[in-house]
Amino acid sequence: MDSRRAAPTLGIVASLAVVAVLTVPYFVIDDGAAVASYYGSGALTPWAGGLMALVGVIVFAAGRENRTDPETAAGAAVGLSVVVFLISVLWAVTVPADLVLQLTTDEPLLGPLTTATVIESHRWVLALVAIVPAAAAGWYAKSLRLL
């Protein structure tokens, strides 16, 4: 396995996964204004991290395809992905729990999965998923012997 290609590929997929996790409440909660208040209630909006994750997709892809110097791309990917992770964690920690509970219902989604279980765990899942691009960026930098 060539880690010089596998690491940025993982980074691309993981960065897109961050954005995908950010869209989940829009599919689970019918009220768009409630989702907007959910995302706006923390210290920072996680959409800032989502935007940086999308930039990270471009950085990872440019380094993988040698359109940018791989060492430069790996360094930029490390910086971007760490910021994505920090924004996600800061938001997850600062969202008021009572706001999250106001958004929950026992409406079944799929089997035992309800909107309550999805929304109550959403912010923590986002924080966990946001670790993966940072890990991929670290792996990419290590494969280039920058670390």
Side-chain angles (χ1 to χ4, degrees), residues 93-109:
V93 170
T94 59
V95 170
D98 59 335
L99 176 69
V100 176
L101 294 176
Q102 290 174 2
L103 298 173
T104 61
T105 63
D106 288 328
E107 181 180 329
L109 294 174

Side-chain angles (χ1 to χ4, degrees), residues 62-99:
R64 186 185 71 176
E65 300 299 322
N66 289 320
R67 299 201 179 224
T68 299
D69 179 46
E71 289 82 8
T72 303
V78 167
L80 279 170
S81 59
V82 166
V83 170
V84 169
F85 173 68
L86 291 175
I87 287 172
S88 299
V89 169
L90 180 63
W91 174 75
V93 170
T94 59
V95 170
D98 59 335
L99 176 69

Side-chain angles (χ1 to χ4, degrees), residues 10 28 49 54 60 64 97 100 122 127 131 133-134:
L10 175 63
V28 175
L54 289 174
F60 278 118
R64 186 185 71 176
V100 176
H122 174 260
I131 290 174

